[in-house]
Amino acid sequence: MDEYILRAKAITKNFAGVQALRGVSLDIGKGEIHCLAGENGSGKSTLIKIISGVEEMNSGELEIKGKSYTKITPIESIRNGIQVIYQDLSVFPNLTVKENLAYNTIVADRKKIINWKEIESLAKEALGRINVNIDLNAIVGDLSIADKQLIAISRALLNNAELIIMDEPTTALTRREINNLFKIIKQLQERGISILFVSHKLDEVFEISDRFTIFRNGENIKSGATSELDDKKFTYYMTGREFEEKRFSYTRPDDTPLLSVKDLTLNHGFSDVSFDLYKGEILGITGLLGSGRAELALALSGYYKPDSGTFRLKGEEKRFSSITDAIASNIGYVPEDRLTEGLFMPKAIGRNIILPKIQKFASRFGFLNKQAIQDEIDSWVSRLAIKTPDAANPVRTLSGGNQQRVVLAKWLAINPEVLILNGPTVGVDIGSKYDIHEVIKELSSKGIGVIVISDDLPEILSVCSRVLIMKAGRVTSEYETADMQVHELTVEMTEDIE
Ligand code: ADP
Ligand code: MG
């Protein structure tokens, strides 16, 4: 590389005991598209915050256009031409497009009198630079995420960006929007602008980048030319493990559905969802953010009351008005955000496991059988291999993966016939993820019907035998996963509705 716009050298960052970065380095050449990849929690966003001056590094050095910094303020970072487009896009939803575009200029210049003519022509020019046509007077809050992103990019250009950093920009985009974004990124590159594109998706890294850097657990694992990367290496660098992908294989025991959902509709959530779930089956439901998958999960588990349609368990129609109702019918629900929804963090691990069925341990007079409770807790801790010296310790002392096992134990303890898992491995490290997948397959072998709701497509493919794809509140297609590849499912999930 002849010339670098930015070199990060041996950067460390500690957040009250969490070592987020352990001496990472990253070089971005002028006019280069560089992908920063890594599993959730590997430190990608933390590095971005250090580069943009939002967080201070503990040690290390940033070299920007040849100048060295051990400390940098947000203003200095911006003056050096660094612009970050965060996941939340940081646009002002109540302001118009032109107000959003002009905001920094107005604030930076401390203008008292605003010349709207001037702003309008500036804004027009900015949008024109990336060839997009958005009404300057539209309220930004009314625009699609993709359009908000384009406005954030235009704004970055107005601020004389030389390096644009995008933190996981494709999370909520359809395929067509992703294609458009990629086209714009290439145009920016042609103007000599450097791009740092953060992603954990292999296909995106291949499609867009010249070079890549992969972080794992706050460490720099590998940097190189994307042309030298392949599927297998990517997974290995990301996880540190070589996975023998063992797909779940399933044969229907008989033709009687365990669960049968017909034309289920939740106004403003999803419409006319129909499917059957059989004993021992693991059915995946996937879709982008906003596809209705989360609402469906909550309606199936009794949290939302559907507006129409039917829900039959072993042929019997059920109407739940709460999660407790569903539990009474042996339907367990493991929520996505285990920290806020699933567990009582300050309470003991054992207590969390036993809570939904505590009544079963009470005598006629309300006395609890302590020994029976302890035995039950011990058996779950050992069956799910929850790593703790003592089940009396609070749940918050456990790692993410072990907390997720506690959630599973808690629901297994009620002997469910149907288990609904919403994002069962969100935020857990890859090793625990693999173990949780094994647990899910084991549950199915006991005849439990499992529904896995997830946008983690490799997860869907290795755990589920069948998958439903949701778009805009409807199930748009259904596939047997046996011969499917991740990129095929990605295309299916992100393709626009015709
Ligand atoms: P990524 O963007 O790769 O998913 P992050 O940089 O967000 O990862 O996080 C890296 C690690 O630092 C994680 O373990 C995360 O929990 C932790 N972390 C990030 N920000 C903070 C913070 N403000 N306080 C405490 N821990 C944090
Ligand atoms: Mg992040």
Side-chain angles (χ1 to χ4, degrees), residues 21-207:
L21 296 175
R22 307 163 193 262
V24 294
S25 300
L26 173 73
D27 293 337
I28 306 169
K30 282 219 168 112
E32 171 181 279
I33 301 178
H34 196 108
C35 259
L36 174 59
E39 296 269 314
N40 279 332
S42 58
K44 306 180 299 291
S45 296
T46 303
L47 180 65
I48 291 172
K49 286 179 193 149
I50 287 170
I51 294 171
S52 63
V54 174
E55 294 281 0
E56 231 178 87
M57 60 189 126
N58 294 122
S59 65
E61 182 193 331
L62 284 176
E63 189 187 300
I64 306 174
K65 295 192 274 182
K67 194 161 174 248
S68 165
Y69 296 84
T70 50
K71 218 174 173 176
I72 190 164
T73 64
I75 301 282
E76 281 173 318
S77 180
I78 290 169
R79 289 214 177 112
N80 273 301
I82 296 173
Q83 287 285 322
V84 181
I85 298 174
Y86 291 100
Q87 275 173 302
D88 66 7
L89 301 175
S90 319
V91 285
F92 299 100
N94 300 323
L95 300 186
T96 61
V97 171
K98 67 180 177 199
E99 286 164 338
N100 264 281
L101 287 173
Y103 187 83
N104 285 348
T105 318
I106 296 171
V107 174
D109 298 354
R110 305 214 176 109
K111 282 195 175 147
K112 295 220 174 61
I113 300 163
I114 300 169
N115 180 345
W116 281 111
K117 269 234 168 72
E118 191 186 318
I119 283 172
E120 206 155 311
S121 73
L122 258 175
K124 241 191 210 130
E125 198 211 314
L127 288 173
R129 279 196 222 170
I130 54 171
N131 295 319
V132 293
N133 204 349
I134 300 172
D135 178 7
L136 289 179
N137 296 309
I139 300 292
V140 165
D142 298 337
L143 300 176
S144 69
I145 292 177
D147 280 348
K148 285 183 193 138
Q149 211 166 48
L150 298 181
I151 286 166
I153 293 172
S154 308
R155 190 178 56 190
L157 291 177
L158 272 180
N159 293 320
N160 304 315
E162 293 172 61
L163 168 63
I164 299 182
I165 302 177
M166 301 183 189
D167 196 354
E168 309 213 18
T170 60
T171 311
L173 302 189
T174 66
R175 189 63 231 176
R176 188 181 303 170
E177 291 166 339
I178 293 172
N179 287 345
N180 189 38
L181 176 67
F182 283 1
K183 211 172 73 200
I184 288 169
I185 289 176
K186 298 263 185 192
Q187 285 168 10
L188 295 174
Q189 179 181 35
E190 275 161 27
R191 299 160 158 266
I193 293 171
S194 311
I195 307 284
L196 179 62
F197 183 92
V198 179
S199 172
H200 57 255
K201 298 182 192 143
L202 173 70
D203 51 338
E204 294 180 357
V205 176
F206 278 138
E207 198 172 335

Side-chain angles (χ1 to χ4, degrees), residues 319-387:
R319 281 173 199 277
F320 304 131
S321 31
S322 67
I323 289 190
T324 324
D325 268 7
I327 293 172
S329 293
N330 295 328
I331 295 180
Y333 172 62
V334 181
E336 176 163 34
D337 190 349
R338 64 182 183 279
L339 299 179
T340 57
E341 289 181 65
L343 297 172
F344 294 107
M345 299 307 282
K347 290 270 190 288
I349 296 160
R351 194 184 161 77
N352 270 280
I353 294 176
I354 219 74
L355 206 60
K357 62 180 299 193
I358 195 87
Q359 288 310 326
K360 294 196 177 136
F361 293 99
S363 70
R364 268 196 303 147
F365 308 106
F367 293 114
L368 292 173
N369 182 341
K370 291 219 173 103
Q371 190 55 49
I373 290 179
Q374 195 54 51
D375 291 347
E376 172 104 10
I377 290 172
D378 290 344
S379 95
W380 286 112
V381 167
S382 86
R383 280 173 70 184
L384 291 187
I386 297 167
K387 284 194 201 80

Side-chain angles (χ1 to χ4, degrees), residues 250 252-261 275-281 312-316 418 466:
Y250 172 73
R252 233 172 242 179
D254 54 55
D255 282 335
T256 326
L258 176 62
L259 182 72
S260 187
V261 170
F275 65 87
D276 291 332
L277 174 75
Y278 297 84
K279 266 188 116 162
E281 183 178 31
R312 289 172 196 279
L313 188 64
K314 294 192 284 190
E316 194 184 326
V418 174
R466 195 157 58 99

